[in-house]
Amino acid sequence: MIDLFIRNKILFFFLGACLTGASAFSQDSLITVTAERGDGILSLLRKQGVDPYESFDDFVALNMTNLRDSVHLYAGRKYVIPAADLDTVEVVPSIKKQTTQIKKIEGKAFPIFGKKHEIVLSKSERLKGNVYYLVSGHGGPDPGAMAIYGGKSISEDEYAYDITLRLGKELLSHGATVYIIIRDENDGIRDERILEMDRDEVAYPDKTIPLNQVARLKQRVQIVNELYRRNRGKYQRLIVTHVDSRSKGQNIDVFFYHHEKSKNGKKLAESIHKTFQEKYRKYQPNRSYSGTFEDRTSLYLVKKTHPAMTFIEVGNIRNKKDQRRILDPDNRQALAKWISEGVLLDYED
């Protein structure tokens, strides 16, 4: 789906060990594990051999009352692991209650997501035929907004890029065609809190990113508009992801911009905004969501690009609360998942 990516069809067979008694993954005997210091939802699920991205929502639903801010684990507490959706096959009927579990998974490899995350499994074809252009803010010679966390520098471009990659993978899993406009072939999706800074990002497909700010923006506009022309007649949308920089004391929620004259752009921004409102009501009922969606045609990419689009600011990189939102890989995954659900809502509504 992503142009110029290596497309490999990969067949996996997960062969579980023989189990005594009822299947450990049956709905009647869900596994309970104790979270250790440093565990996140993704790492905890991986330790149990469960696909963390397929099971993320189920895990949250099962453990909602035992999570901090709906996404963080408490060390020392017990958590229920969702049942894996496995086909159970009786291998040796004559041996008392002995079973083997086999799961056959078919997917495609997209190396830009990195070794650990390159396989994209098909969830649906709900976005089949749709084209999405994903632009993460800054990159190359421009790191964007910066801050210090734990004595180390962190930069906007690295976190916006990681969220963008996770979003791209979600959209691909629903059959979309995805163009990652700002790209770093070395990084991939990363699960660390501190994302090391570099300057080797390029613009699609492999163009050097200019140092001059206006030249950088013009380059992105030209790339997106040329791809838009090539895909004329298809359903096309553009999503731009940034991390804001404000005073340290200013905590902001995720908010969205669109072109004032674009009904489709407004609808896209509104759909994602609505999804975030619903997620906050569900997972953080004691906390109001103050993120907004509004027109801001003064932004260069909003004004000059042709596809209907939304421009997303995911937080204030200098604020401690907002830093938790972007530094925690579970949070970055949740952001990407929620944005993708808003995209689905936009298309299907």
Side-chain angles (χ1 to χ4, degrees):
M1 292 287 183
I2 296 182
D3 196 30
L4 298 182
F5 281 6
I6 298 174
R7 305 179 182 198
N8 299 323
K9 207 167 192 180
I10 298 182
L11 201 60
F12 291 91
F13 291 90
F14 289 85
L15 187 61
C18 291
L19 302 172
T20 302
S23 166
F25 292 94
S26 71
Q27 293 293 345
D28 296 330
S29 55
L30 295 175
I31 296 174
T32 301
V33 298
T34 302
E36 299 176 356
R37 184 176 178 83
D39 276 342
I41 294 177
L42 299 181
S43 61
L44 189 71
L45 290 172
R46 285 196 195 95
K47 287 180 182 178
Q48 304 306 313
V50 177
D51 186 317
Y53 303 108
E54 290 293 316
S55 302
F56 186 91
D57 285 347
D58 290 340
F59 180 90
V60 171
L62 285 169
N63 299 281
M64 186 165 29
T65 59
N66 206 20
L67 296 171
R68 177 169 55 84
D69 294 334
S70 303
V71 291
H72 297 291
L73 306 178
Y74 291 98
R77 292 192 183 180
K78 292 184 177 180
Y79 292 91
V80 179
I81 303 300
D85 183 19
L86 303 181
D87 296 324
T88 302
V89 180
E90 191 83 11
V91 178
V92 188
S94 60
I95 299 178
K96 184 180 179 181
K97 295 183 179 180
Q98 195 171 57
T99 64
T100 296
Q101 295 185 331
I102 299 176
K103 186 176 183 181
K104 188 169 95 173
I105 303 175
E106 193 172 355
K108 291 182 180 179
F110 297 89
I112 198 167
F113 297 133
K115 287 284 187 183
K116 292 194 299 182
H117 298 275
E118 66 178 357
I119 303 303
V120 176
L121 306 177
S122 176
K123 297 178 181 177
S124 76
E125 293 191 345
R126 294 163 69 184
L127 298 177
K128 186 175 182 180
N130 294 7
V131 179
Y132 293 91
Y133 309 105
L134 307 184
V135 178
S136 54
H138 305 276
D142 176 23
M146 297 183 65
I148 301 296
Y149 179 85
K152 292 188 176 182
S153 295
I154 57 174
S155 64
E156 172 181 6
D157 64 329
E158 302 296 343
Y159 291 92
Y161 182 63
D162 191 74
I163 294 167
T164 295
L165 287 183
R166 293 171 187 271
L167 172 59
K169 188 171 181 179
E170 287 292 326
L171 298 180
L172 281 167
S173 74
H174 292 292
T177 296
V178 177
Y179 292 88
I180 306 293
I181 304 303
I182 303 305
R183 45 205 295 128
D184 187 330
E185 303 293 343
N186 301 320
D187 284 347
I189 293 172
R190 292 176 281 178
D191 293 327
E192 295 78 28
R193 293 180 63 84
I194 302 296
L195 301 184
E196 296 295 332
M197 297 167 53
D198 58 33
R199 302 292 178 91
D200 61 347
E201 293 86 5
V202 297
Y204 177 90
D206 57 1
K207 298 179 180 180
T208 300
I209 299 175
L211 178 62
N212 178 268
Q213 181 184 14
V214 175
R216 286 198 304 273
L217 295 175
K218 284 184 176 180
Q219 181 188 63
R220 292 167 200 210
V221 167
Q222 290 170 356
I223 292 169
V224 170
N225 288 348
E226 172 58 23
L227 291 170
Y228 179 80
R229 185 190 64 79
R230 285 192 221 167
N231 289 299
R232 186 169 294 155
K234 298 180 180 180
Y235 183 97
Q236 304 184 60
R237 294 293 185 266
L238 165 63
I239 300 173
V240 179
T241 306
H242 277 256
V243 182
D244 209 350
S245 178
R246 303 189 181 189
S247 66
K248 291 182 179 180
Q250 190 171 1
N251 170 224
I252 59 175
D253 279 329
V254 181
F255 59 92
F256 312 87
Y257 295 129
H258 60 86
H259 195 290
E260 62 182 350
K261 295 182 179 180
S262 173
K263 291 182 179 179
N264 288 331
K266 179 180 179 180
K267 181 172 173 290
L268 174 62
E270 186 175 12
S271 296
I272 303 174
H273 179 263
K274 180 180 179 181
T275 300
F276 271 70
Q277 285 181 317
E278 292 176 350
K279 295 296 184 180
Y280 270 76
R281 279 196 294 268
K282 179 178 179 180
Y283 296 128
Q284 300 190 43
N286 298 320
R287 180 192 183 290
S288 61
Y289 172 65
S290 61
T292 60
F293 77 95
E294 58 189 56
D295 63 85
R296 191 170 176 185
T297 311
S298 60
L299 292 171
Y300 196 94
L301 286 177
V302 175
K303 184 177 182 179
K304 298 289 187 179
T305 48
H306 293 163
M309 64 92 71
T310 185
F311 187 109
I312 305 175
E313 293 279 9
V314 300
N316 175 10
I317 197 170
R318 301 181 67 208
N319 179 268
K320 288 185 178 180
K321 290 184 178 179
D322 288 4
Q323 284 178 345
R324 287 199 294 269
R325 183 184 307 150
I326 64 171
L327 265 63
D328 191 310
D330 289 343
N331 288 347
R332 297 198 296 272
Q333 181 62 28
L335 286 169
K337 188 78 163 55
W338 294 2
I339 294 170
S340 72
E341 290 182 21
V343 170
L344 286 163
L345 175 65
D346 168 63
Y347 177 63
E348 296 178 339
D349 186 5

